[in-house]
Amino acid sequence: MGTNPDPDAELVLRIGRGDRAAAETLMRRHLPKLLTLARRMLAARAPAEAEDAVQEAFLRVWQHAGRWKPGKARFETWLYRVVLNQCYDRLRKKPMADLAAAEETPDPSPSPGAVLEAAERASTVEAALASLPERQRAALVLCHFEENTNIVAAEAMGISVEALESLLARGRRSLRTMLSALRDA
Amino acid sequence: MAQDEYGNEDARFAVETLSTLPPVDVSAGLAVRILADFDRVVARRHGTLRRFADLLWPGAPLWQPATALALSLICGLTAGGLLPGAVAAAAQTDQLLQISDIVTDQDQLGDGS
């Protein structure tokens, strides 16, 4: 940690003093990754829910930046954790749509040929991902889409690296089993 | 060993499969809403300070009531630090005087008997 200073620490301090430019820089730096995380976690729901989760996470940043203590944990890790918690809350409010139901959902914007095929494939993968238990899904999304190390992902989820690796292994196995079964059907 | 191989195949499959998902686009509206939240939070924070400052010193720039508050705090702390010693000393002197008065009264009574 000492050799690798938090790249967000300075920005967060400035945000705490009400610096709008710092807020915009921080938002542009993290918004795409956080939105991807929320969209993959809330795949079975309307995209607006993922946007709400991310907006809520940034609101927490704006409100608490003045009290942020650099050096404890990386700011980005804390940010991931806030978004994950927002997603978990939303997932608990409504039951998950099952894979079969997601499969039968018609594509709202049908397009011809390869585009349609790619969209269908993506929709199947999204549905399979959405049907995984939420912690397995979080582990997969954090490690795959965000390209985090296992250490960062484990910190963001508040678990040990061993527990994360176990979640990853089970998540990958389930994903492969589900998608292979669908492909064979 | 076989289990490790199976795990590696699972990992490879997951990477290939998840890579087929399209990237998530950030809508301009979301960025605008997030920054609007920031403006609201900052305005509210300044609003609370401003209202408090206006109660103390209506219409003055924020630094004036802040300075006045800081100075009065310093005066209060200084007085609080020095006064208890002076009060205690005065109280001790009063007590000594009262004792000496009692002793004198008793002496006078003794002389009279």
Side-chain angles (χ1 to χ4, degrees):
Chain A
M1 187 89 66
T3 54
N4 188 13
D6 191 339
D8 296 320
E10 172 65 25
L11 282 177
V12 180
L13 289 176
R14 283 168 53 197
I15 290 167
R17 295 195 291 262
D19 186 334
R20 195 179 196 274
E24 192 165 354
T25 306
L26 187 96
M27 184 200 69
R28 301 232 176 270
R29 183 181 291 174
H30 294 291
L31 183 55
K33 285 187 284 185
L34 296 177
L35 188 61
T36 302
L37 173 64
R39 282 286 289 275
R40 301 302 182 217
M41 286 301 294
L42 301 168
R45 288 166 171 73
E49 276 206 55
E51 293 197 352
D52 288 348
V54 173
Q55 188 179 351
E56 189 68 32
F58 273 106
L59 183 60
R60 298 276 166 97
V61 175
W62 308 150
Q63 287 169 335
H64 300 292
R67 279 170 272 162
W68 171 255
K69 298 258 186 299
K72 281 174 97 179
R74 280 171 78 92
F75 179 76
E76 189 180 37
T77 312
W78 178 79
L79 206 46
Y80 279 135
R81 192 178 293 193
V82 176
V83 173
L84 273 181
N85 286 337
Q86 287 293 325
C87 294
Y88 291 151
D89 287 348
R90 281 168 171 78
L91 288 168
R92 270 160 214 152
K93 276 180 198 159
K94 281 187 245 168
M96 290 287 292
D98 66 354
L99 184 55
E103 272 297 282
E104 283 162 16
T105 307
D107 191 336
S109 54
S111 42
V115 178
L116 179 61
E117 199 181 309
E120 276 174 3
R121 201 184 315 126
S123 153
T124 309
V125 173
E126 267 182 0
L129 193 61
S131 69
L132 289 177
E134 57 191 42
R135 282 158 63 85
Q136 289 180 20
R137 184 159 71 249
L140 273 177
V141 172
L142 279 169
C143 291
H144 180 80
F145 294 105
E146 312 299 333
E147 292 173 350
N148 287 312
T149 62
N150 286 4
I151 296 170
V152 172
E155 261 182 42
M157 290 181 71
I159 57 176
S160 67
V161 175
E162 291 77 16
L164 177 95
E165 283 168 354
S166 165
L167 284 172
L168 274 176
R170 279 183 282 150
R172 285 166 179 158
R173 173 67 47 86
S174 304
L175 198 64
R176 190 174 167 203
T177 309
M178 271 188 285
L179 290 172
S180 302
L182 281 173
R183 206 172 288 169
D184 296 342
Chain B
M1 191 68 176
Q3 201 159 4
D4 271 0
E5 239 171 67
Y6 216 60
N8 287 341
E9 275 180 38
D10 287 344
R12 209 174 306 124
F13 180 86
V15 169
E16 280 170 15
T17 307
L18 296 176
S19 303
T20 62
L21 289 177
V24 173
D25 294 325
V26 178
S27 68
L30 177 60
V32 169
R33 287 203 305 274
I34 289 171
L35 285 175
D37 280 347
F38 176 79
D39 293 337
R40 255 194 302 277
V41 168
V42 171
R44 201 176 306 142
R45 202 184 298 153
H46 285 173
T48 311
L49 271 177
R50 184 70 262 171
R51 274 195 298 276
F52 184 60
D54 276 343
L55 272 178
L56 296 173
W57 198 325
L62 211 54
W63 66 267
Q64 284 181 354
T67 309
L69 264 181
L71 282 176
S72 59
L73 183 68
I74 290 167
C75 288
L77 287 174
T78 311
L82 294 176
L83 269 185
V87 169
Q92 209 172 8
T93 315
D94 282 351
Q95 275 178 342
L96 283 174
L97 283 173
Q98 278 171 357
I99 290 166
S100 66
D101 284 350
I102 290 166
V103 169
T104 314
D105 289 348
Q106 279 178 345
D107 286 350
Q108 283 171 352
L109 280 173
D111 288 345
S113 63

